[in-house]
Amino acid sequence: MQYIFNVHEGIHEYIKLGRNYPFPPPPTKRCHNPKCNKLVSFRKHGFYERYYYSKEYKGKIVIRRYICPLCGCTISYISNFCLPGFINAINHIFEYIYNLFYRKGSINSVIKQLNLKNNVQFSRQILYYYRKKFIKNLNTIQNGLRQIIHKVKLPDETLGNTEKARNVLAIVVREFPNIQLFSQKYYQATAKTFLAA
């Protein structure tokens, strides 16, 4: 189980402090293990490393773990600039998806322009992978938007996938100028990322 928390100081301070970063304290909550399901005070349980790839940093970052003292199930606290299950920065993933659907030129020109701007190397294949996952999850994403935005007006069901995706992206951009906030709220509401299968 993973939880997203805010890193107010930014990625550079998070990387610099590493294991000494002031992570959220161990939570007191009901254990997510259905066999346990007890109200417990989780305990610190070390760290693990994962890759993170962005304009600001390319390499491993530390993730704080906590453990249920009764059953041994663990939870991880992931920083809000990460997307659980993906190494690329959330803002890059969203920017590439958005520009793919709203591009004026070819896909290759969009990739080249954004790679140059962000100093990262997204390939055409990775962009198609993100596009495919986004389209596949359109209905789930819309359900998530209903949960986090009161009385949101969603695209008409008769629209094709591409037009529906554009409309959903426009809603996200309009309602959440900071994509990390959308990602965090969406994850809290659905327990999934917006690209989860």
Side-chain angles (χ1 to χ4, degrees):
M1 178 67 77
Q2 299 175 325
Y3 294 94
I4 300 174
F5 74 98
N6 288 322
V7 176
H8 299 290
E9 305 84 356
I11 185 169
H12 294 296
E13 191 68 12
Y14 183 86
I15 300 300
K16 183 176 132 190
L17 292 175
R19 293 172 186 243
N20 296 319
Y21 182 82
F23 290 94
T28 298
K29 55 184 271 110
R30 198 162 290 283
C31 181
H32 61 280
N33 177 358
K35 291 181 181 174
C36 177
N37 201 27
K38 303 257 187 321
L39 185 62
V40 296
S41 293
F42 279 78
R43 293 194 300 229
K44 291 180 182 177
H45 189 59
F47 301 88
Y48 68 90
E49 293 183 332
R50 62 160 279 181
Y51 282 100
Y52 178 74
Y53 187 71
S54 74
K55 180 178 186 174
E56 298 87 7
Y57 180 78
K58 297 168 183 71
K60 289 183 177 179
I61 60 172
V62 295
I63 305 297
R64 172 48 106 178
R65 294 176 76 201
Y66 302 98
I67 190 167
C68 171
L70 299 178
C71 72
C73 277
T74 60
I75 57 175
S76 303
Y77 272 52
I78 295 184
S79 54
N80 62 326
F81 50 78
C82 293
L83 188 62
F86 296 86
I87 66 168
N88 292 303
I90 175 67
N91 56 328
H92 294 328
I93 292 171
F94 190 81
E95 182 181 22
Y96 279 75
I97 290 172
Y98 183 87
N99 281 281
L100 175 65
F101 282 102
Y102 279 97
R103 72 182 186 276
K104 299 241 187 304
S106 70
I107 292 172
N108 286 338
S109 66
V110 168
I111 293 170
K112 186 176 178 181
Q113 177 187 357
L114 290 174
N115 282 351
L116 193 61
K117 174 190 167 204
N118 295 322
N119 190 27
V120 295
Q121 291 302 311
F122 273 41
S123 67
R124 188 180 178 106
Q125 289 81 10
I126 195 73
L127 190 54
Y128 276 131
Y129 171 73
Y130 290 147
R131 179 187 188 278
K132 182 179 176 183
K133 287 190 95 40
F134 190 80
I135 286 178
K136 183 178 179 185
N137 289 334
L138 271 173
N139 289 334
T140 308
I141 293 168
Q142 290 180 95
N143 288 334
L145 285 171
R146 277 189 197 96
Q147 293 178 52
I148 59 179
I149 305 171
H150 185 62
K151 294 185 178 177
V152 65
K153 180 160 176 20
L154 294 169
D156 191 291
E157 286 299 315
T158 61
L159 294 175
N161 283 340
T162 300
E163 197 55 40
K164 200 184 291 186
R166 282 191 190 118
N167 280 276
V168 167
L169 288 164
I171 292 167
V172 172
V173 167
R174 183 181 68 239
E175 298 291 332
F176 299 96
N178 178 344
I179 190 59
Q180 293 172 354
L181 181 61
F182 164 70
S183 175
Q184 189 171 9
K185 284 186 175 282
Y186 185 87
Y187 193 80
Q188 287 168 346
T190 65
K192 294 180 179 179
T193 70
F194 65 91
L195 291 181

